[in-house]
Structures are given as structure tokens and as C-alpha cells.
Amino acid sequence: MTLPTEMRFVDLPSFGAPEVMTIARKPLPELKPGEILVRVEAAGVNRPDVAQRQGIYPPPKDASPILGLEIAGEVVDVGPGVSEFSIGNKVCGLTNGGAYAEYCVLPVGQTLRFPNGYDAVKAAAVPETFFTVWANLFQMAGLTEGESVLIHGGSSGIGTTAIQLARAFGATVYTTAGSKEKCEACEKLGAKRAINYQEEDFAEVIKTETGHGVDIVLDMIGAAYFEKNLASLAKDGCLSIIAFLGGAVVEKASLQPIMVKRLTVTGSTMRPRTAEEKRAIRDDLLSQVWPLLDTGKVAPVIYKTFAFEDVVEAHRLLETSNHIGKIMLKLA
């Protein structure tokens, strides 16, 4: 296969508003052992991309500086030592940056086949949220059948994924969202009760609904919700923090509930995880979650797809939070 010498990509000459992004050209990335080169057909737009664009979420030293964390497309080259995938395979995966480009490198340990019947846009909508939810809600917080969970931001890409996976594995789901329309969408996905945080106190609703609290809270708000999250947990419950949209510093809060109720507070980010840790998440997804995707029991929720050239508009929409599910870029 003859490849071009250059590719288009989304350049970030400076940090700031969506308008700082431009389409530029550069040489194709070079392959290292254990990597594949993918001709990108679709890429996901996620909150970490916005944070990186704003200059508050720098990529790791060994990662691509190009924006974007998930892609789907066709394998066009393989690096030394690669046997899992071949040229021509259709794959999706979690990148170490570089998704906003016509060609992107994927480590094989973060690469997955398309679920049955999926096109590139739908396949690219899976990796970032499914890796994040599986690692934090299932591997770290240990959600199991018969437990209950409160998922904040239920209408987000993370939220719509977490609701579906929690229900698929037999948990009772409560969630928060910011409008009647978003709450209805969350309940349609499987939430027992969606709480409109603009009108209701979620901690009071959880207390009323459960009588004792939930087993796990999956939180992307951070400081602003910290005390209410602790109040919403039952004994031996776990608070799993995955983002700080409401601040990272808790200035005044009682830690007493942690001791009295024997609570666990945990959290993580995906990018600093080792290649081995990401491969372990990938392997779990293939064995535990891909059958659900293959049969349609779980599916990514896609709100809108933009052309690659309209990346600025895609970021503007994400920042409004007026969407339900994923925002995507289509390249081919």
C-alpha cells in the first residue's frame, strides 16, 4: 500500500477558545514496535480534548501533541512485532493523542475490532468512554450485580455509557442531568430515576429513593458535589472521581462520613496509565463488553457528527453541554 508523505491534522498553535484550532499539514507519524498506523475515518470529541486545547491538560511526554483520544478506521501499516492486526483490518481504539488527523498511531494493546454491524463513526464513539467507565466503575469501584450507583452527568458521553453498562450488569442506576429532556433520555437508557439537579437536591432524592444511599457514586463534578456525594453513599460505599468540572479543591467539608460509613474515595485519569494497564482494560472490554455491543444490548449514543473541517463547531457544541451523548468528527 502506497501512503502519502503528508497528512492533514488539527493544529493547536496556541491555547485558548475553539477558534485557535486550524487545519494544517505534517508528515505521517512513525511507527514503533507494537504499534499500527490507522487511516482515520472518524474520531471522538471529548472533554479532555477541550482541556488540552485550553492548556490545562497537557499530554504525557511520550504522547502525540495532536488533539484526540479515540479513532476508528483502516489499518494501513503495522510496526515490528505486531501479529494481532493486519493491513486492511477495520479497528477502533484509544489513542495516546493524535486522533484529530488523517493518520494516527495506535498501540495494539489499545486497539479493538469494530463491533458487529458498526460503521466507523459508531465504532469511534466507543473507546474513550468505555475504557474510562470500565476502569473506574467496574475495575476500581467494583460495581457488581444487585448494587446501586449514582452517575453524575448522565446525558454526557461518559454518563450514557455508564448508565447502559451498569444496567447491563444488573445494577440499579440513579443519575443527574440538567433538564427534563436529558432526564427523560437517561431513564430511557435504563436509569431508575434521573434527578434534575437544576430543580432537585440529588442527595435528598437518593435518601428518599433508597433509604440508605447507593453503593457507588461515579462523579465528574468534584469539589462542588463532594459533601453531597458522601451523604449519598451507603455504608461501605465508594466515591469514584473522574473529573473536576465543579472544581478540584474542597475548601470546607466534613470527613466524618468517610469514617462513620467506612467509605472509599478513589479516582483516576486514563492518559497516565501504563500500556499494560490499558491493555488489561482492553482485554476486559473484549471479553465482557464487546458481546453486549455485538448484540445491540449496549450502544454508544451519538448526538451529532461534524466534518473534520468543522472541528471548531464541534468544540463549541461540546462546551455548551446542550448535547445528549457523543460528538463525533468524520474524516472519510
Side-chain angles (χ1 to χ4, degrees):
M1 181 179 292
T2 302
L3 299 176
T5 57
E6 289 190 331
M7 67 178 184
R8 294 186 304 156
F9 75 105
V10 175
D11 194 15
L12 195 64
S14 62
F15 300 127
E19 293 75 23
V20 301
M21 296 183 294
T22 61
I23 304 295
R25 303 187 72 87
K26 69 179 298 182
L28 272 62
E30 295 182 2
L31 284 177
K32 298 175 184 175
E35 295 179 338
I36 59 175
L37 184 65
V38 178
R39 181 175 60 83
V40 181
E41 297 175 6
V45 178
N46 297 289
R47 289 281 178 187
D49 305 344
V50 171
Q52 184 176 335
R53 191 202 74 223
Q54 293 170 336
I56 58 177
Y57 190 48
K61 289 182 179 180
D62 59 346
S64 170
I66 298 174
L67 294 172
L69 298 173
E70 61 184 345
I71 60 166
E74 181 180 354
V75 179
V76 294
D77 198 5
V78 297
V82 173
S83 59
E84 293 179 60
F85 299 97
S86 304
I87 292 174
N89 287 165
K90 291 285 191 175
V91 298
C92 59
L94 185 75
T95 75
N96 295 331
Y100 290 15
E102 291 179 318
Y103 292 86
C104 181
V105 165
L106 264 182
V108 292
Q110 294 157 220
T111 303
L112 309 107
R113 63 171 176 82
F114 278 22
N116 291 344
Y118 276 43
D119 62 11
V121 171
K122 197 171 180 181
V126 173
E128 200 272 343
T129 58
F130 278 74
F131 267 77
T132 299
V133 170
W134 188 263
N136 288 277
L137 190 54
F138 292 88
Q139 289 185 337
M140 293 180 66
L143 182 67
T144 58
E145 183 177 0
E147 291 189 324
S148 57
V149 58
L150 170 62
I151 297 164
H152 289 303
S155 61
S156 66
I158 291 287
T160 53
T161 297
I163 290 169
Q164 293 183 79
L165 284 180
R167 283 295 301 124
F169 285 93
T172 300
V173 178
Y174 302 93
T175 189
T176 60
S179 70
K180 180 181 178 182
E181 178 190 13
K182 289 181 177 180
C183 286
E184 289 175 350
C186 291
E187 290 179 352
K188 187 175 291 187
L189 286 172
K192 180 179 180 181
R193 173 79 151 83
I195 304 159
N196 186 340
Y197 65 80
Q198 304 277 13
E199 301 175 353
E200 301 176 284
D201 183 319
F202 70 82
E204 290 298 322
V205 173
I206 291 298
K207 183 179 179 181
T208 301
E209 289 278 335
T210 66
H212 52 77
V214 294
D215 297 297
I216 297 169
V217 174
L218 183 66
D219 177 55
M220 58 187 72
I221 305 302
Y225 278 9
F226 186 71
E227 283 195 285
K228 287 186 178 181
N229 282 336
L230 297 185
S232 301
L233 285 165
K235 281 186 177 181
D236 298 310
C238 177
L239 169 59
S240 178
I241 302 171
I242 60 171
F244 303 118
L245 298 179
V249 179
V250 181
E251 296 190 0
K252 289 185 179 180
S254 172
L255 301 180
Q256 191 171 10
I258 296 176
M259 297 177 68
V260 173
K261 294 196 285 184
R262 301 188 300 270
L263 304 180
T264 299
V265 179
T266 186
S268 74
T269 56
M270 187 59 62
R271 295 195 82 170
R273 286 175 178 261
T274 67
E276 291 75 18
E277 289 171 331
K278 291 175 184 176
R279 179 184 282 273
I281 299 168
R282 191 282 305 263
D283 291 347
D284 269 5
L285 289 174
L286 277 176
S287 64
Q288 303 294 318
V289 175
W290 243 239
L292 301 174
L293 294 168
D294 284 338
T295 56
K297 292 180 180 178
V298 169
V301 176
I302 298 172
Y303 182 76
K304 190 170 183 178
T305 301
F306 290 85
F308 180 61
E309 296 78 9
D310 296 327
V311 63
V312 170
E313 294 301 319
H315 272 234
R316 283 177 181 154
L317 175 59
L318 184 64
E319 289 188 296
T320 68
S321 294
N322 291 330
H323 59 286
I324 297 172
K326 299 278 295 187
I327 297 170
M328 307 300 297
L329 297 176
K330 193 172 189 298
L331 286 84

